[in-house]
């Protein structure tokens, strides 16, 4: 207790710096991953992606990012054994934030799309093993995290594959693909509005105490889907047949029809992402602030001051703008060649998988879903359309994320403990 009272201001300062660094990492990797399909398909430019993320990620984090957050993310450790030594939890959370941020910076510089959730989970486990003891870690939870390495890509890829096949049958393989795209386009836009509204209602607004029933959620989502479909139809009607471009690439005009859908999808996914994953960065930060302000009380949940939410939103946007391009390049161009139709299928498949996961408790990672979905649309053209060397590198980065975060956090924990004592 004395250590916290003596060094409380320093701990708060370090938590803010490390938290901002972690949110920067989320922007550079996770958000870049979410925007990668839109940029890689050519539907929007990198500058437009940054602008969309700046508005919608920030809005998601600020409006629906949560008034209360779990301070020990995902309930993966039991802090009860150190209740009388709260400074150890402060050291651990600071170590976890810094370790996760460093790993995200390394991964982002290499262009690896890794899971920020897995990074912070690995870091917290690393601190818990050396700072509290292996028994404090809920290993059953860790096994569900590991399961997502397999579940996420398969489910996301399978849905993306089926969407791609439907577009091929309804549009691309018809006598007049352009007219078919104009005919079926509003239906696909409706699906974007409907699914992303469900994602937001079920996940993004849970902290706002807006508790809708299943039927209400479906009704509101369908209504939003119809509004978005109407707006999309107006935009699709403005797309004209480009005979010149079609000579060069047979489906050039069809791809132009899908561009408005990608803009809707990018905006909606940015909002949903901001409302959910900003907690990875600000959860441990909120834990430190809560412990210091309460004079040493360790709580499982803490209120989130507005300034912390703002900090998270700002960090995410700066991260995407400064280093997001490398991960966007990997997702959007290196795994397989994306076009607006393929990018649409991959992004919508990601959203559908998140909806399924949020209601079934299926362990998934949004990063791994997106990678799997991109692989799914590539696989629809045959295994030769996929760059297996790039995919192998991505899988390897997923495997080392947990231990890398853990080892870094353990080392930083000992350094902080050595400086401030216990």
């Amino acid at each position: 207790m004395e250590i916290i009272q003596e060094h409380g201001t320093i701990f708060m300062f370090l938590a803010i710096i490390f938290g901002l660094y972690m949110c920067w990492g989320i922007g550079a990797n996770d958000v870049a991953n979410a925007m990668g399909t839109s940029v890689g398909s050519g539907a929007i430019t990198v500058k437009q992606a940054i602008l969309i993320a700046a508005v919608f990620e920030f809005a998601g984090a600020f409006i629906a990012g949560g008034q209360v957050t779990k301070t020990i993310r995902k309930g993966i450790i039991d802090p009860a054994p150190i209740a009388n030594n709260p400074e150890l939890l402060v050291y651990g959370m600071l170590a976890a934030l810094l370790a996760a941020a460093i790993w995200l910076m390394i991964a982002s510089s290499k262009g690896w799309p890794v899971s920020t959730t897995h990074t912070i989970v690995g870091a917290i486990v690393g601190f818990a093993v050396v700072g509290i003891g292996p028994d404090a870690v809920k290993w059953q939870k860790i096994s569900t995290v590991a399961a997502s390495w397999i579940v996420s890509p398969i489910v996301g890829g399978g849905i993306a594959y089926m969407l791609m096949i439907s577009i091929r049958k309804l549009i691309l393989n018809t006598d007049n693909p352009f007219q078919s795209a104009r005919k079926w386009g509003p239906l696909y836009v409706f699906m974007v509005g409907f699914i992303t509204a469900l994602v937001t209602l079920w996940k993004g607004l849970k902290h706002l105490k807006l508790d809708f029933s299943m039927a209400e959620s479906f009704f509101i989502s369908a209504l939003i889907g119809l509004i978005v479909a109407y707006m999309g139809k107006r935009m699709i009607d403005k797309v004209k047949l480009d005979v010149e471009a079609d000579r060069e690439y047979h489906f050039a005009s069809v791809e132009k029809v899908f561009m408005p859908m990608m803009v809707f999808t990018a905006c909606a996914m940015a909002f949903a992402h901001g409302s959910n994953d900003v907690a990875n960065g600000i959860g441990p930060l909120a834990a430190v602030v809560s412990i210091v302000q309460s004079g040493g009380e360790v709580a499982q949940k803490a209120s989130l001051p507005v300034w912390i939410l703002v900090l998270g939103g700002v960090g995410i946007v700066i991260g995407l703008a400064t280093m997001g391009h490398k991960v966007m390049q990997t997702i959007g161009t290196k795994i397989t060649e994306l076009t607006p139709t393929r990018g649409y299928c991959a992004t919508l498949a990601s959203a559908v998988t998140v909806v399924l996961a949020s209601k079934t408790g299926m362990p998934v990672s949004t990063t791994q879903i997106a990678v799997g979905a991109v692989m799914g649309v590539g696989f629809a053209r045959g295994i030769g359309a996929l760059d297996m060397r790039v995919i192998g590198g991505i899988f390897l980065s997923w495997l080392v994320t947990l231990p890398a975060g853990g080892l870094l956090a353990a080392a930083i924990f000992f350094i902080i403990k050595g400086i401030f004592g216990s």
Side-chain angles (χ1 to χ4, degrees):
M1 297 287 182
E2 293 79 16
I3 292 175
I4 288 181
Q5 287 166 0
E6 187 181 348
H7 302 293
T9 307
I10 297 175
F11 292 148
M12 291 270 281
F13 179 73
L14 290 176
I16 290 169
I17 299 296
F18 295 170
L20 192 60
Y21 186 20
M22 172 65 182
C23 288
W24 174 88
I26 293 173
N29 202 296
D30 221 28
V31 180
N33 177 34
M35 305 301 281
T37 49
S38 303
V39 175
S41 66
I44 57 174
T45 64
V46 172
K47 284 184 179 175
Q48 288 168 333
I50 292 169
L51 188 65
I52 288 172
V55 175
F56 289 93
E57 285 275 348
F58 190 82
F62 190 71
I63 297 170
Q67 307 305 310
V68 174
T69 188
K70 288 181 181 175
T71 55
I72 316 294
R73 296 294 301 153
K74 309 289 180 188
I76 50 173
I77 64 167
D78 177 14
I82 55 170
N84 294 324
N85 301 92
E87 68 276 5
L88 292 180
L89 192 58
V90 171
Y91 300 163
M93 288 299 145
L94 290 175
L97 276 175
L98 185 57
I102 290 173
W103 174 244
L104 285 176
M105 186 185 70
I106 293 170
S108 302
S109 67
K110 300 283 184 186
W112 297 335
V114 297
S115 166
T116 52
T117 305
H118 291 184
T119 307
I120 195 72
V121 165
I124 290 176
V125 168
F127 130 71
V129 168
V130 298
I132 308 175
D135 292 342
V137 179
K138 297 178 180 175
W139 295 105
Q140 182 67 29
K141 286 271 187 185
I142 305 302
S143 65
T144 63
V145 170
S148 72
W149 292 335
I150 300 168
V151 175
S152 302
I154 290 177
V155 176
I159 295 171
Y161 178 85
M162 288 188 286
L163 277 169
M164 199 63 231
I165 295 299
S166 79
I167 287 178
R168 192 175 287 171
K169 286 196 172 182
L170 292 174
I171 297 172
L172 301 181
N173 289 350
T174 59
D175 293 335
N176 191 332
F178 180 67
Q179 285 305 325
S180 299
R182 286 166 64 99
K183 175 185 171 186
W184 291 104
L187 175 66
Y188 285 106
V189 181
F190 169 81
M191 288 165 68
V192 171
F194 178 72
I195 294 297
T196 46
L198 266 187
V199 171
T200 308
L201 288 176
W202 283 353
K203 294 202 74 178
L205 299 182
K206 60 188 177 185
H207 298 305
L208 294 183
K209 297 179 182 176
L210 291 174
D211 192 17
F212 296 110
S213 68
M214 182 80 80
E216 288 170 338
S217 297
F218 272 99
F219 177 76
I220 294 169
S221 299
L223 200 61
I224 293 172
L226 286 172
I227 294 169
V228 175
Y230 173 75
M231 293 165 63
K233 187 176 185 319
R234 295 286 299 270
M235 294 172 76
I236 289 170
D237 286 345
K238 292 178 182 173
V239 179
K240 303 297 179 193
L241 186 67
D242 190 340
V243 179
E244 202 62 37
D246 282 347
R247 282 202 191 101
E248 196 172 320
Y249 175 57
H250 185 54
F251 300 116
S253 297
V254 173
E255 298 294 353
K256 286 182 180 177
V257 172
F258 273 79
M259 282 191 178
M261 303 182 206
M262 289 302 297
V263 176
F264 282 118
T265 312
C267 296
M269 286 308 290
F271 182 88
H273 183 272
S275 65
N276 287 296
D277 286 8
V278 72
N280 284 331
I282 60 179
L285 166 59
V288 175
V289 172
S290 168
I291 293 169
V292 171
Q293 288 184 337
S294 67
E297 187 185 344
V298 178
Q300 283 286 345
K301 290 185 177 181
S303 62
L304 267 181
V306 171
W307 66 267
I308 290 185
L309 283 169
V310 173
L311 192 78
V314 169
I316 279 177
V317 172
I318 294 175
L320 178 67
T322 53
M323 204 186 263
H325 60 282
K326 289 199 172 184
V327 173
M328 280 196 270
Q329 205 174 26
T330 302
I331 292 286
T333 60
K334 291 189 174 177
I335 297 174
T336 189
E337 185 188 351
L338 287 182
T339 61
T341 51
R342 295 170 200 157
Y344 163 82
C345 292
T347 313
L348 186 63
S350 302
V352 171
T353 310
V354 171
V355 167
L356 287 174
S358 68
K359 277 300 168 191
T360 60
M362 185 170 57
V364 294
S365 151
T366 50
T367 301
Q368 291 163 356
I369 291 170
V371 171
V374 172
M375 287 169 58
V377 296
F379 190 67
R381 292 188 296 136
I383 192 79
L386 296 170
D387 189 330
M388 299 308 292
R389 190 180 57 82
V390 172
I391 294 169
I394 292 172
F395 278 10
L396 188 62
S397 71
W398 292 353
L399 285 175
V400 300
T401 289
L402 273 178
L407 289 171
L408 273 171
I412 296 168
F413 172 77
F414 283 125
I415 292 172
I416 297 175
K417 190 178 173 187
I419 293 172
F420 294 100
S422 63

